[in-house]
Amino acid sequence: MIQFNLQRFLKLARWTLVRDRRYYRKHFLQVLVMGTLMMMMFGVYMGNDPHNGYDTCVFVVVFSVLASTVMGAGYMFLSMDGKHDRQTLLMLPASNLEKYVMRYATWILMLPLTVAAFLIADSVQYVVNVMLGHEWVQTVTGFIAEIDYNYQFGPNPRRTLLALFMLLLWIHSVYAVGATLFRSLKHNWLLTSVVLIAGYLLLICFVKWTTLNCYWWNNHGMFNLLFLCLTVLNFWLSYRLFCRQQVKGRFVNV
């Protein structure tokens, strides 16, 4: 079988979207309700200084979208429930690569729904503020556009931002490994987060208690190359683990 056929992949994508539509609808409504409650609380009823409320709204929105992007690869199997769904996935007339790409794309499909839900919630708080007659009425989107972004990321901001991007991309790939490794856990991204936090704490202790050579960390080029290689390795490992998916299996998919 050809590993990737566009027409076959489009049929798989159409089938997946129809099957998972209830999951995407549920995600959209959850973000809409939580976003509306948050913006009503901080954007409408936050005392005499509305900017503090809008600052909180901006933080929650930006953090939510960023977290959804970084941890998105861990959402591969959130829409699948139990043995029957795993069996159906194995029986689909598509290659493992096509199935993996479609499952990985779950977070890409969820991202615009998340943004749309926040925009609707923002519109609700704006309308409520207008109806209450608040003179400082403003949309959170407009408040974001007015923020001063002249923040300096060190002496070479481009290299610093690129290094930050590579670090976040690597973390994203770790969630891809966690999604396929802990395949029997419904919310496997939670366990992956715990593993990441534990690893970070161990690294901090290791650096503190040893005289570690920080050449790799201070050299942006070597840092980016290292995390690029680790990212590629993680996605390869995630795909190999995905190919070992079983209807029945142990807690860890190895």
Side-chain angles (χ1 to χ4, degrees):
M1 177 185 288
I2 299 175
Q3 285 297 306
F4 195 91
N5 180 277
L6 182 59
Q7 291 184 349
R8 191 171 60 208
F9 177 75
L10 292 177
K11 291 180 180 179
L12 173 64
R14 189 183 307 114
W15 180 89
T16 304
L17 290 175
V18 171
R19 178 193 171 279
D20 293 347
R21 64 182 182 278
R22 187 173 66 174
Y23 167 74
Y24 290 114
R25 188 186 306 120
K26 178 182 176 182
H27 169 76
F28 173 78
L29 292 176
Q30 286 177 338
V31 177
L32 177 60
V33 171
M34 291 186 294
T36 302
L37 292 175
M38 180 270 299
M39 290 189 183
M40 290 289 291
M41 180 181 299
F42 294 103
V44 179
Y45 303 108
M46 281 302 292
N48 297 324
D49 188 359
H51 291 286
N52 291 334
Y54 282 123
D55 286 339
T56 305
C57 293
V58 169
F59 173 79
V60 173
V61 170
V62 173
F63 178 81
S64 300
V65 173
L66 182 61
S68 298
T69 302
V70 174
M71 299 189 300
Y75 302 156
M76 284 188 192
F77 306 111
L78 281 183
S79 62
M80 301 179 64
D81 296 318
K83 180 178 67 175
H84 176 72
D85 286 347
R86 292 197 295 271
Q87 185 178 25
T88 302
L89 179 64
L90 292 175
M91 297 297 293
L92 289 175
S95 68
N96 284 330
L97 179 59
E98 292 163 350
K99 296 175 186 177
Y100 179 82
V101 172
M102 191 61 227
R103 298 316 309 176
Y104 171 79
T106 299
W107 76 272
I108 300 177
L109 299 172
M110 289 171 58
L111 193 59
L113 294 177
T114 301
V115 174
F118 278 126
L119 289 176
I120 295 175
D122 188 18
S123 301
V124 171
Q125 72 84 21
Y126 180 82
V127 171
V128 171
N129 273 318
V130 170
M131 293 176 63
L132 292 176
H134 292 160
E135 297 180 357
W136 41 262
V137 59
Q138 189 178 15
T139 62
V140 175
T141 306
F143 188 80
I144 293 176
E146 295 177 358
I147 296 177
D148 184 9
Y149 295 98
N150 294 326
Y151 182 81
Q152 295 297 324
F153 292 90
N156 197 324
R158 290 186 178 180
R159 289 185 178 181
T160 303
L161 289 175
L162 179 59
L164 178 61
F165 172 79
M166 294 306 302
L167 177 62
L168 294 178
L169 182 62
W170 172 75
I171 296 176
H172 179 81
S173 69
V174 172
Y175 279 97
V177 175
T180 49
L181 180 62
F182 308 118
R183 55 99 178 93
S184 62
L185 184 64
K186 175 65 175 177
H187 298 286
N188 48 64
W189 59 272
L190 287 173
L191 184 56
T192 306
S193 300
V194 172
V195 172
L196 272 173
I197 294 172
Y200 174 76
L201 293 177
L202 289 175
L203 178 62
I204 293 297
C205 294
F206 180 74
V207 172
K208 182 178 180 180
W209 293 340
T210 61
T211 56
L212 180 66
N213 188 349
C214 296
Y215 170 76
W216 281 80
W217 308 102
N218 296 327
N219 187 301
H220 286 95
M222 299 299 290
F223 178 91
N224 294 337
L225 178 62
L226 171 64
F227 277 92
L228 177 61
C229 294
L230 291 176
T231 299
V232 173
L233 176 63
N234 282 340
F235 276 113
W236 175 83
L237 179 60
S238 175
Y239 174 68
R240 296 304 300 173
L241 290 171
F242 177 84
C243 293
R244 294 173 59 89
Q245 289 289 318
Q246 302 173 6
V247 176
K248 294 182 179 180
R250 297 183 296 272
F251 178 72
V252 179
N253 185 42
V254 294

